[in-house]
Amino acid sequence: MFYLKLAARNIRQSFKNFLPFLLATSTMFVMSYVLAAIAFSPELNQLQIQPKAVSMILMVGLAILAPFSIGISVYAYRFLLKKRSREFGLYDVLGLGKRQIIIVALYELGMLFLFTMGIGLVFGISLAKFLFLIFVTILGGHVFNLSLTILSILEPLAVTGITFILLGIVVSWTIRHNSSLSLLHSENKGEREPKARVKLAFLGVLLLAIGYYMAVTVKTGETAVKMFAISVLLVIAGTYLFYMTFTIWYLQRQKKGRRYYRPEKFITTNAMLYRMKQNAIGLGNITILITMTIVTLVTTVMLQVGVSQATLKSMPYTTTLNALGRHSGEEMSSKDSLPSEKQFNRAVATAAQQANVSITKGISYVDFGSQTVKVNDSSHPKITEITQSDAKNAQTVQIISRQTLIKMGNNVPNIGKNEVLIHNDNGHFNPDSITWFGHQLVVRGKTDALKNFPIAQFNSVNASFIIVAANDQVVQQLIDSQNRMIRDGDPYQLPIRQFLINLNQTDSAKLVDAFTKLTDENMARYSVDRYSYLKETLSTLSGFLFIGFTLGLTFVLGAALIIYYKQIAEGEQDREAFRILQEVGLSKKEVSRTINSQIRLLFFTPIIIAVIHFAGSYVMVSKILTVFGVADSQLMLTVSAIVIVVIILLYYIIYKVTSRSYVKIVQRQV
């Protein structure tokens, strides 16, 4: 009972020292609880989404967040333990054995655990309900209540429990393996000047260069994710080596310069140099966290916004009815694979009549699909080979007739039977003529921006263009030539009859349902409702967006906590040094200028390097997004710029708030 009272008195009297640690553990508990509360919420089943998929995505977020939470809590406890070491040393000198000191420390951790649970649940429940409202709003749902479940508490409780067990092991080991004298003086223990290890500094820069090169040059495919993961590990290792070795080498070089003997210069340089071992890890952590924040937010926002834009581009009409012919036989042309126009129109009219929907503004045409081919970079390329999207000189081609584009409201000039127009969707293909699987085609020019045309969701890894032929008959000849050359008469690419129309959500659903239920043995039918497709797709992606927002917020908070602890720790160490410097003649103005110089250097180095890291990963992030059909490079640049600006603003706010703590501590004696 005595030890319990002693632990309670310690927390009460030194609450100012315990508060930053409680802030860290409570923040991590709250963020874990938010994800768990929504992942295990029964209300997910009431939303018009795929609850299992969304729940799984949120569980992945929890798995990522768990080790990060433990790491931040251990990092925060190290600072608290350093402040408490003197008190533990006094207990030992006064006759309290190490076993009894460990018991007091464990009681303190037990109370802090209960405080974390209490504070975390109060704020966690409130924040979870608020963020759930945002989550439901993104999905367009109408269920706004979030139930409190046992599982939502058990997950963050388990992570927090494991964290405090690890902290108990850390404090027990620290007390048991340090003498009372070392505990008494641990808070005032200084750092030796680190040595400049040129080879390790070069290795750090080399690892960064290799990591950037792999991220920029990696190709899409099965090994892309693996290669990107390796490049990320190399960049992380290079970042820590950069701070631990290259910065030390650079600072020591600065000492040899002529401008070194200026007050703000030599004080800042020496202050950073003597504590760079401690600063290096902290600065590396901040850099990695900020980089993770930028990548996470850019990726998730691009998925949410980019998929919507890509869908609208590939599905300009709300309702699409499709039909294929059900023919058998080993040999048939692309023309034989199509149901007749009369048969298809009759089926569409029957479905419209049953659904009681007007289809007078609809458009019927033949979609000949798209293909990836090898295109030589010349004025007269010969296209004779189908290839993979990531192959050398690969370009994706879609063939369409002039009459179809005119139906959709496009102005297209007259062209002859053996003449074509080129429309570049992604690339700069501008030949004078094309040999398309034996067909000689003269290029008359380029088309303007196409409207209302359902452009295929091309993979932006390779370029893509559209060939506009005179009519459907010419297009069929080109497709048949392609099929004969690549498969000996067996069709490789079959055209589809399509009917496109813009309807409201109710009429679109009714027409799609009626067309799908028609019975016709000679025609295979399928249909697409853009409203349903977007809702289903975005419901899953909303889970990614929510996790991205939550993890991004957590990473920023983690960086803020690390910065805050660095300011407190370094302020305590610098306070006495600045007092002595003023006594030997340094003016208050010079002290203030020196303090600001040191703070700016330590603060803005991580954000600059984090932006450089993101620039190195930009190409790879773009390639990963193309797997989801997001290939808008301009949108990617815009989203990246906005996210970086927002992160920099948040970082600047953190800088202004936390730098005051450092200045206040230092200026108490100045």
Side-chain angles (χ1 to χ4, degrees):
M1 196 65 180
F2 167 74
Y3 303 122
L4 182 61
K5 288 182 178 180
L6 184 59
R9 185 187 64 83
N10 290 341
I11 294 175
R12 187 171 59 254
Q13 291 186 348
S14 303
F15 188 72
K16 185 179 178 181
N17 293 332
F18 285 96
L19 184 59
F21 172 73
L22 270 177
L23 180 64
T25 55
S26 300
T27 300
M28 295 301 107
F29 182 91
V30 167
M31 303 314 294
S32 296
Y33 177 81
V34 167
L35 286 181
I38 298 176
F40 298 116
S41 172
E43 281 74 26
L44 282 181
N45 296 317
Q46 300 178 36
L47 299 173
Q48 294 181 356
I49 59 171
Q50 299 176 353
K52 289 185 178 179
V54 174
S55 181
M56 185 62 68
I57 294 169
L58 294 172
M59 292 296 290
V60 170
L62 282 171
I64 296 172
L65 192 57
F68 177 74
S69 299
I70 294 172
I72 288 293
S73 298
V74 172
Y75 187 90
Y77 191 66
R78 284 178 58 247
F79 286 93
L80 175 62
L81 192 58
K82 191 169 185 179
K83 285 184 170 294
R84 301 299 319 288
S85 295
R86 180 178 176 82
E87 190 173 337
F88 291 151
L90 284 173
Y91 286 154
D92 196 12
V93 170
L94 294 174
L96 207 62
K98 289 188 175 181
R99 181 173 174 275
Q100 287 74 26
I101 298 173
I102 291 173
I103 292 173
V104 173
L106 293 179
Y107 273 131
E108 290 176 355
L109 282 174
M111 293 178 184
L112 293 172
F113 174 75
L114 294 177
F115 286 147
T116 298
M117 286 291 299
I119 296 170
L121 282 175
V122 170
F123 287 95
I125 292 172
S126 302
L127 185 61
K129 287 182 177 291
F130 173 71
L131 293 179
F132 185 69
L133 292 177
I134 297 176
F135 184 58
V136 172
T137 303
I138 293 173
L139 297 177
H142 303 286
V143 181
F144 298 105
N145 184 42
L146 181 66
S147 301
L148 182 66
T149 61
I150 298 298
L151 284 175
S152 64
I153 299 176
L154 288 179
E155 195 283 335
L157 175 63
V159 173
T160 307
I162 292 170
T163 301
F164 274 82
I165 289 172
L166 288 174
L167 298 181
I169 294 171
V170 169
V171 71
S172 300
W173 188 92
T174 302
I175 295 171
R176 194 175 295 278
H177 290 81
N178 284 279
S179 65
S180 57
L181 187 62
S182 62
L183 288 171
L184 280 169
H185 296 286
S186 63
E187 189 176 356
N188 298 320
K189 184 187 265 186
E191 292 280 356
R192 294 181 181 179
E193 180 177 345
K195 296 180 180 179
R197 300 175 182 178
V198 180
K199 291 182 179 179
L200 284 178
F202 174 77
L203 177 62
V205 176
L206 182 64
L207 290 177
L208 288 173
I210 294 173
Y212 290 157
Y213 178 79
M214 290 176 65
V216 170
T217 60
V218 68
K219 294 182 178 180
T220 54
E222 294 181 359
T223 60
V225 176
K226 186 184 296 183
M227 295 296 289
F228 185 56
I230 294 172
S231 70
V232 169
L233 292 176
L234 289 174
V235 169
I236 291 174
T239 300
Y240 285 114
L241 280 175
F242 173 83
Y243 282 117
M244 294 172 66
T245 58
F246 185 83
T247 53
I248 293 171
W249 171 82
Y250 176 76
L251 289 169
Q252 289 187 340
R253 292 272 301 178
Q254 289 288 98
K255 292 180 70 173
K256 299 177 182 179
R258 294 181 178 179
R259 299 176 60 188
Y260 171 69
Y261 293 101
R262 295 181 180 179
E264 66 273 13
K265 187 75 173 178
F266 78 78
I267 296 174
T268 300
T269 302
N270 276 287
M272 291 183 63
L273 186 59
Y274 275 89
R275 289 200 310 273
M276 188 44 72
K277 286 183 181 179
Q278 176 183 322
N279 279 330
I281 300 300
L283 293 173
N285 290 337
I286 295 167
T287 302
I288 298 303
L289 287 174
I290 297 298
T291 306
M292 289 169 66
T293 303
I294 296 173
V295 172
T296 301
L297 290 178
V298 168
T299 304
T300 51
V301 172
M302 275 298 297
L303 281 175
Q304 190 74 15
V305 179
V307 167
S308 298
Q309 290 198 0
T311 301
L312 292 176
K313 183 178 180 181
S314 63
M315 300 171 66
Y317 294 85
T318 62
T319 314
T320 306
L321 307 181
N322 306 282
L324 281 166
R326 286 180 173 169
H327 294 278
S328 60
E330 295 183 357
E331 294 187 6
M332 62 180 178
S333 69
S334 62
K335 185 177 180 180
D336 295 328
S337 71
L338 279 173
S340 68
E341 187 175 358
K342 183 178 179 181
Q343 181 187 14
F344 178 67
N345 289 340
R346 185 171 59 248
V348 173
T350 302
Q353 185 178 9
Q354 292 178 2
N356 193 24
V357 174
S358 173
I359 57 170
T360 55
K361 295 183 179 180
I363 298 170
S364 180
Y365 81 108
V366 179
D367 177 19
F368 292 91
S370 61
Q371 192 60 268
T372 304
V373 297
K374 278 194 174 182
V375 181
N376 296 324
D377 187 17
S378 68
S379 299
H380 307 279
K382 292 184 179 181
I383 300 173
T384 59
E385 184 180 351
I386 303 295
T387 188
Q388 300 295 322
S389 61
D390 57 350
K392 187 178 180 181
N393 297 326
Q395 294 200 40
T396 306
V397 186
Q398 193 168 0
I399 306 178
I400 192 69
S401 68
R402 173 180 174 271
Q403 63 196 52
T404 297
L405 291 179
I406 292 174
K407 282 183 184 180
M408 295 175 177
N410 293 279
N411 294 320
V412 186
N414 287 319
I415 51 177
K417 183 179 179 181
N418 293 319
E419 295 178 334
V420 295
L421 299 171
I422 298 296
H423 173 76
N424 281 294
D425 181 61
N426 174 33
H428 305 282
F429 186 60
N430 188 27
D432 296 325
S433 67
I434 303 173
T435 302
W436 178 268
F437 294 92
H439 266 272
Q440 297 293 329
L441 302 171
V442 177
V443 178
R444 280 284 304 274
K446 294 183 179 181
T447 64
D448 296 328
L450 300 181
K451 60 182 180 180
N452 301 325
F453 177 61
I455 297 174
Q457 293 187 16
F458 293 143
N459 190 328
S460 68
V461 172
N462 53 270
S464 56
F465 63 92
I466 296 170
I467 295 177
V468 182
N471 50 52
D472 285 347
Q473 289 73 29
V474 174
V475 178
Q476 282 188 346
Q477 291 173 10
L478 296 177
I479 297 298
D480 288 341
S481 298
Q482 166 196 312
N483 290 339
R484 281 195 300 270
M485 291 189 69
I486 62 175
R487 287 224 175 165
D488 254 349
D490 268 351
Y492 185 89
Q493 183 176 343
L494 299 179
I496 301 170
R497 286 206 181 274
Q498 287 196 342
F499 178 80
L500 308 176
I501 191 170
N502 281 318
L503 299 170
N504 61 46
Q505 188 169 354
T506 303
D507 287 347
S508 179
K510 286 163 60 178
L511 182 61
V512 164
D513 184 61
F515 184 74
T516 306
K517 290 180 178 178
L518 290 176
T519 57
D520 189 337
E521 294 180 357
N522 296 318
M523 187 168 56
R525 299 170 314 283
Y526 65 96
S527 52
V528 181
D529 175 19
R530 192 177 72 191
Y531 298 107
S532 300
Y533 177 82
L534 266 177
K535 192 167 189 176
E536 183 177 345
T537 304
L538 293 180
S539 67
T540 303
L541 293 177
S542 295
F544 283 111
L545 180 63
F546 185 76
I547 287 179
F549 172 76
T550 305
L551 291 181
L553 179 61
T554 306
F555 294 150
V556 170
L557 289 174
L561 289 169
I562 292 173
I563 293 169
Y564 178 62
Y565 283 117
K566 279 175 60 59
Q567 297 289 48
I568 294 174
E570 291 172 9
E572 294 289 345
Q573 293 179 14
D574 290 346
R575 180 174 57 186
E576 185 65 17
F578 278 110
R579 186 186 66 81
I580 294 172
L581 285 170
Q582 190 178 8
E583 287 181 354
V584 297
L586 201 67
S587 68
K588 286 189 176 182
K589 184 178 180 181
E590 288 172 327
V591 169
S592 179
R593 193 163 52 205
T594 302
I595 291 172
N596 291 329
S597 172
Q598 183 173 329
I599 292 174
R600 283 196 300 268
L601 191 60
L602 286 173
F603 259 88
F604 293 111
T605 300
I607 192 70
I608 292 170
I609 295 178
V611 172
I612 294 172
H613 283 354
F614 175 73
S617 67
Y618 183 87
V619 173
M620 188 62 228
V621 173
S622 301
K623 290 181 179 180
I624 291 174
L625 288 171
T626 59
V627 177
F628 296 89
V630 181
D632 191 331
S633 57
Q634 186 61 45
L635 179 64
M636 177 77 174
L637 282 172
T638 303
V639 170
S640 300
I642 292 173
V643 168
I644 289 173
V645 169
V646 170
I647 295 299
I648 290 175
L649 288 175
L650 287 174
Y651 193 80
Y652 181 74
I653 292 171
I654 294 169
Y655 156 70
K656 294 299 289 184
V657 172
T658 57
S659 62
R660 290 175 185 172
S661 302
Y662 177 87
V663 172
K664 285 180 180 179
I665 293 172
V666 171
Q667 289 186 339
R668 286 174 190 167
Q669 301 291 336
V670 174

